[in-house]
Structures are given as C-alpha cells and as structure tokens.
Amino acid sequence: MKKLGLHEVKKEFLDFFKEKDHLIEKSFPLVPKNDKSLLLINAGMAPLKPYFTGEVEPPRRRMATCQKCVRTGDIENVGKTDRHATFFEMLGNFSFGDYFKEEAIEFAWEFMTERLEVPKDKIWVTIYEDDDESFKIWNEKIGIEDKKIVRLGKEDNFWELEVGPCGPCSEIYIDRGEKHGCGKETCKPGCECDRYVEVWNLVFSQFDKDENGNYNNLTNKNIDTGMGLERMAAVLEGADNIFEVGEIKKVISEVERTTGISYGKDKKTDESIRVVTDHIRAMTFLISDGVLPSNEGRGYVLRRLIRRAARHGKLLGIEGAFLSELSSFIIKLWSEDYPELRENEVKIKKVIKVEEEKFQETIDQGINILDAYIKETKEKGEVVLSGDKAFKLYDTYGFPLDLTREILEEKNLKVDENEFNVEMEEQRNRARKAREGVGNGAWSKDDFSHRFKSFNTTFRGYEDIKLSSEVIGIFLEDEKVSKLSEGEEGIILLNETPFYGEGGGQVGDTGTIKGDNFKALVLDTKKTKDNVIFHLVKVLSGEIEDGKEAVSQVDISRRNDIARNHSATHLLHKALKDVLGDHVNQAGSIVLPNRLRFDFTHFEAISKEDLAKIEQIVNEKILEQLEVLTIETTLEEAKKIGATALFDEKYGGKVRVIKMSDYSMELCGGTHIDNTGKIGLFKIISESGIASGV
Ligand code: SER
C-alpha cells in the first residue's frame, strides 16, 4: 500500500479521474444553492443534484471533485469516539448519464489496486441484496472471490438523502487485519468491529426520490461515488483513526500547545481535545462560506459548534477566548487547497471571537445556575430536571437546551424535554398574540391567497399611475358581494391596476378609484402569494358595482417618496457590502414614504465611523446622479450578469433587474426613480440588532 497523506490522496484521486476524461471542479461552498431540502452540503453529490436529475445540463458528463462536507447528525458523539467528525472532505467521481456500473467498478478497482497499491487480497466489497449485475462485475470481470462479496439490505446498501437522486450502492472495504477484529467466525464487512473499514461508496444513482417518498425513475442512469478523504488517508498512513492522520494530528498538537494538556493520557481530556480539533475545522470553513451564528438553521449549527468547542476549551482549563487564534492554524494548513480561507481570514477570526466572548458571559452565569439546579434535583433524589427550569435557563440566560442536556448527561441526569417544548410553544403563542394586536377585521387576516385564487389581476404600475379598468371582484368582510355603498370599507379587485401591492418590503400604494357614479379612496394595496392584487377601499360617494368600469389614480407624490426610499435601499445594501464585507445579506426591509429600514446579516454592532462611511458613500452615489435602468430578463441571465439576489427565492419566469450605473445591480420587483439624484439626501437615523446576527 502506498503511504499517502491527506493532500496526496486528494491529488492522486483527482489526477486519476482527470486522465479518465473527467472534468475536475473545485469544491462547492458548504451552503447549498437553490436547495431548500438541505441545510448544509453533506456529500459530494449534493451540489450536483440538478445534473443528476437532468434539470441543468452539466458542463461535462464526467466530473470529479473533492467536496467540503459537514454532517452534524451525530454531533453528540463527536469527541466521545475517535470515528465521528462533523467536517470532512469527500472525494467523488460522477457520471451524468455517461458510464454506469461496469466502468464505475473498473475505475474504482484500478485506482485502489494500481494507484494506491492496496493489495488485492485486502479488498472486500458489499452490494445491494438483489443486485446480481454488480455481483457479476465484481466476481467475473474483476475476479473477487464469492465470499468477499457481501450482500446487504437497504439500510446499508441503498444511498439516499431526504429527497433527490438516489439508488443502490456497492461499498469497498479494506481489511485491516485480525488484530483489529472481534475474532468472531461471522466477522466481515458490516460487522460492528474495526477490522473492515469502508472507504468508498459507489452509488448507482437511478431514482429521484420526491417529497412523498416515491422513487421515480431518472431518465439517465448516473454514477455518484464518495470516498471519505480522512478515512482513506488514515488507512494509507496506517493510522488507527482519523484523529491520527498526519494533518489532523498537527491540529491536535496545536490544541495541546494551547492548553498545555497532552493527548492520549486521559479519556476525559482526550474527548475535549477531539471536540476542539473537529469543531475548529468545521466553524472555520462554515464562516468562510458565509454562515453567521444565529438561533436558526445553519446559523444555529455554527453557533452550536462554537459553543461546544468553547465549553470543551474551558473543561481543558483555558481561560477566555482561544478559538479565534486557533482558526488561524486551520487557515494556514488548508488555505493552499481552499484559498477562500485566506481571503476571509479577518472575517472568520472576528466572527469566532465575537461569538465566543458572548458565550463566555452566558456560560459563566448559566453554569452557576445550572449547578444549583443540579444540586437541588439530586437532593430531592430525582434524576430528571424539570423542563421549566431548563426553559428558564434558555429564555432568561440564553443557555441552550443541548448544552443543558450535555452537562446533565455528564452527571447522569436528564431533562424533561417535553415540558421544555410545551413552555417554548406557550411562549411562541404569547408572541403571536402580541403581534395580532395590529390591524383589524378582514384586512389583518393572512388567508387572502386562498380567497382570491380564481382572480386574474395585472400590475400596470411600472408604466402608468393612472388607468381605466374593470372591477372584477368586491368583498365586504369575508363575503363576496356585488356592490359597496357610500361609507362602506371593503376590498375590490381590478383586472388591471396601477396600484403596487405591498411586497419585497415596499408598502402598498394609495390613491383614488372613480367611476361614473362613485368615488372611493384606496387606503392600501396588497397582493397574495400568487400575485393577485387587491385594494382596501372606502367609498366616499355613490356605489361601486361589480363589472363596472373604474379609473384608478395612484397618489403620485407618495409613490415618488416610496420610490426614492426604495432606490436608496439598493444603494445602502451595496454600501454595507463595501464597508462591512460581502457576508452582508439582506434579511428583510421596509420601504415607506417617510423612511426605510434595512435588515441585514452581520455579526456585531457597526461602529460610528463605519456608519458615517456608509452614509457618505450613499450620498456620494446620489450626487453622482447615476442612471437607474430596469432590465427584464430570465433568472439564469440575471445570475450570469452578477445581479444581487437571494437566488433560493422563487422568482417567476421573467425577473426585473434594477441597475444603478455600474454601482448596484439587484433583482427587484419594486418601483424606483430613474436617477439616483432624485433621492435627495440620505441620513442614517439609527442602527440596532433585531435578532442574533441580524
Ligand atoms: N452520495 C454517496 C455518499 O455520500 C456517494 O458519494 O456516500
């Protein structure tokens, strides 16, 4: 067997598949694009899903990558064992409707035996239970004897994610010899012991699993293979486990140096050293790819990793923050393969530092209180901490449930999670009720989409602010009616309207609607998620009747004020990125006639100096009188020309790109002024955090 380290295995693999005519792509970011089914990229195939399903044409039918991956399903076990990890790299070769089983198996065999020089007799394989075709290839073509081809069921040899391309698979194992085994007669791949290590998974990807769990046949038969880089390097280096691999050992040494505690001396401290060693890699790569700590989704995964590592640092006797420094070491070791780490170094270190320091305050206070709770629980002779206590820790002191759980487990205690969840739900209800106080009657209810489904309305307000159209629906409270009389307030729908329905942060238009014998004020305009526009009106005189003609007129001076603020929002967005960094992303906004508010992701309060800089840039761009152009195009084209957008949002067929000379380019459905000079003056009134990381 060749003795190869982490970086060498990677190079060998990618070189081999390049020779086999594969396109070598660099790793995709850890944050999935346009894929709501996945929090983080957890396999080499995950970013390539659209190529497998045929939704997008691949640049070549053969591809190979070394993909950064994060899996946190087993995070509680990371540290406890020497097998679990959250961050790893996965090597993979892929065929999108090109080669299938036979070549995939032949490539794998050639790579293993000729490139890595793994002795043939050490290789075992598993196949899906009724996959006779694979059996034949391994047995007759490759020459592996019957007894070394193990048939396993769906649990082991069928590879799938929640949704998407999947299929039966064949796994390659290396026999590490009897000394690693359990000694049982029945010992073979699939056995719980450490003798046979699975190093490569060849998936024959021929189904597309949908949300309902149906396996639909894919038009193309594909190949998706995955080889855990760390695990393969461990086998080739003759290391016992992934924490003994050369490159990873360097990280362990750095943790030893920081803490003054040696690895391999004590079960408890080894566990903590492994947690820090694993999590520091995961957090460094996650932040580099744009994740920021928060209480939800991938932000929460990151927060949890930082907090868990910080706590284990404390268990190792470290006072104060240390992770930020340690991340420099990761950047140094991995930036040759991943240059983005170097580019994002300042951000990575800062985000870790801010989060770690915040956590130090939480943890000291929380641990004291939890200790008191633990004492109380034990004195009462109980083994379960009540959920309301855990909730209080969470709600009042920001102490996360998973940390409470972990600390309790170390003392052989549990927490009543059902009770915790009940408390959490009650709190949510209280918050919901508080919000419902706003607005009244039919207007404040959110079920319009369903009610107005059968209506077709067209927005003409980009071009016209006054037009004549037909009344196609009238509602009074919840009921569809045929007319609205003087003094009444209700909802009316028009086949064509110049009124902008609230959306994308921009408020709805107001104005008037008049007919031959009626006059009404438009108090507000909204749209359903299917883009049906509807107006809240108050009849001033006469009667509005269904089917009658009406002339709509938008309040132009208010509309212009809104447009000024909307265009200013785009300039602000770009200026924030310029001053704070590219990680800044829109997280909501409100555009009103008298002010705008812009929510965005960032990890700390903005300094006075930076606020002044941002304000100045926006005012400069106003004074430069940049021309504002609207381009109607496709989503694909918008992406290509580099427009800013949350591309995982659903946009219809045609999209609008708002371009302010060369300074800003954003996807946007709102209304804008035609020259930034018309904004007038831009002034920041206040800045504050509204949620963690926002
Ligand atoms: N998707 C398979 C895995 O993750 C092979 O790449 O194991």
Side-chain angles (χ1 to χ4, degrees), residues 41-44 69-75 78 85-88 90 159:
I41 296 298
N42 58 0
C69 298
V70 167
R71 289 186 187 174
T72 53
D74 273 335
I75 190 169
V78 175
T86 58
F87 178 86
F88 62 98
M90 186 182 271
W159 198 87

Side-chain angles (χ1 to χ4, degrees), residues 287 292-293 347-356 603:
I287 300 168
L292 290 175
K347 176 179 80 170
I348 295 169
K349 293 183 70 175
K350 188 138 198 192
V351 170
I352 297 180
K353 189 146 193 281
V354 171
E355 180 68 14
E356 203 185 356
F603 42 80

Side-chain angles (χ1 to χ4, degrees), residues 666-681:
E666 266 191 54
L667 242 65
C668 179
T671 59
H672 289 265
I673 33 107
D674 58 8
N675 186 298
T676 60
K678 293 189 181 169
I679 294 172
L681 175 81

Side-chain angles (χ1 to χ4, degrees), residues 307-325:
R307 294 185 160 192
R308 207 165 172 262
R311 190 173 90 83
H312 280 275
K314 249 181 147 37
L315 291 177
L316 290 167
I318 301 182
E319 297 272 339
F322 72 105
L323 292 169
S324 170
E325 264 321 295

Side-chain angles (χ1 to χ4, degrees), residues 42-45 71 90-91 94 159 201-203 224-227:
N42 58 0
M45 62 76 72
R71 289 186 187 174
M90 186 182 271
L91 297 167
F94 309 98
W159 198 87
N201 185 10
L202 316 181
V203 184
D224 149 33
T225 88
M227 176 193 281

Side-chain angles (χ1 to χ4, degrees), residues 162-177:
E162 217 40 41
V163 292
C166 57
C169 59
S170 174
E171 296 188 321
I172 301 178
Y173 283 73
I174 295 181
D175 178 4
R176 298 165 73 218

